[in-house]
Amino acid sequence: MSITRLVEPDRIPEVTRWVQSGVNLANRYPGFLGSGWVRSRAQSREWHMLYRFADHDSLATWENSDDRLRWLELGRDLVVESRVERRTGIEGWFDAPADAPVSSAPPRWKQAVSIWLGFFPVNLVFTLLVGLLVPSFAELAAVPRVLVTTLVLTPIMTFWVLPFVTTMLRPWLLAPPRSR
């Protein structure tokens, strides 16, 4: 879930404590995978919060919880919620916030490198493990072999590997280009 909230500059420390208390609450719910809280530039009043849950049901449990409702009530006078989006996959990993300058999104080549850095080792380990555990797998025709590989690796990449890789590489991904 992606939420955009407007924050007055003089309330940032107070809002930061409130947001952290919400993250601490969400962390107690099954399926919570993590969160992030950023703004596109220092002068922006828009802060973008991303909550990740393992599945729709886990997110719904959090969204409908009494804990969350009490927490939202505590922040009622601190922030103005301006946009809520539910995202289900890769579409939010590299997106720049809506008010960010176009140049703040990572260049496509950095996105490609990030995906490759996650995909190559996972694919290699999968290929080696399946080769050891199921030697006849290598004898399958290309289409069924690739079908099985992508069916297994796509969820692994979507839910664990790419979120991890993009988090680890975020400073590099979002670094401004060096001037020559």
Side-chain angles (χ1 to χ4, degrees):
M1 175 180 353
S2 172
I3 304 167
T4 301
R5 292 187 168 107
L6 300 178
V7 177
E8 294 299 327
D10 59 326
R11 300 203 78 180
I12 290 173
E14 192 177 1
V15 171
T16 302
R17 285 190 297 277
W18 174 73
V19 167
Q20 187 57 53
S21 70
V23 170
N24 293 345
L25 280 174
N27 198 36
R28 297 191 319 215
Y29 281 75
F32 180 69
L33 300 176
S35 64
W37 174 243
V38 298
R39 56 187 165 164
S40 57
R41 59 186 179 279
Q43 304 81 9
S44 178
R45 287 184 56 227
E46 279 194 345
W47 287 73
H48 306 277
M49 182 76 191
L50 178 68
Y51 285 98
R52 288 192 50 107
F53 282 83
D55 53 47
H56 175 73
D57 292 340
S58 299
L59 173 61
T61 300
W62 162 245
E63 283 187 294
N64 299 315
S65 71
D66 290 338
D67 285 336
R68 181 175 177 269
L69 295 175
R70 281 190 296 273
W71 172 74
L72 287 173
E73 182 60 28
L74 290 172
R76 185 173 41 93
D77 296 328
L78 293 175
V79 297
V80 175
E81 195 170 278
S82 63
R83 185 176 64 233
V84 176
E85 296 177 52
R86 280 161 185 72
R87 296 178 169 199
T88 58
I90 194 170
E91 74 271 9
W93 289 340
F94 297 112
D95 293 353
D99 68 340
V102 174
S103 63
S104 70
R108 292 281 182 196
W109 71 268
K110 284 187 175 184
Q111 293 178 35
V113 168
S114 300
I115 292 168
W116 183 85
L117 284 172
F119 186 76
F120 176 75
V122 171
N123 192 14
L124 179 62
V125 168
F126 177 81
T127 301
L128 293 174
L129 276 175
V130 170
L132 289 172
L133 300 173
V134 187
S136 61
F137 186 74
E139 297 167 12
L140 284 176
V143 171
R145 202 171 57 241
V146 171
L147 176 66
V148 168
T149 300
T150 56
L151 283 172
V152 171
L153 295 184
T154 298
I156 292 169
M157 294 297 296
T158 301
F159 293 107
W160 296 290
V161 177
L162 286 177
F164 175 77
V165 169
T166 56
T167 299
M168 295 292 99
L169 295 178
R170 187 153 309 281
W172 174 71
L173 285 167
L174 299 179
R178 288 192 256 181
S179 51
R180 294 180 183 184

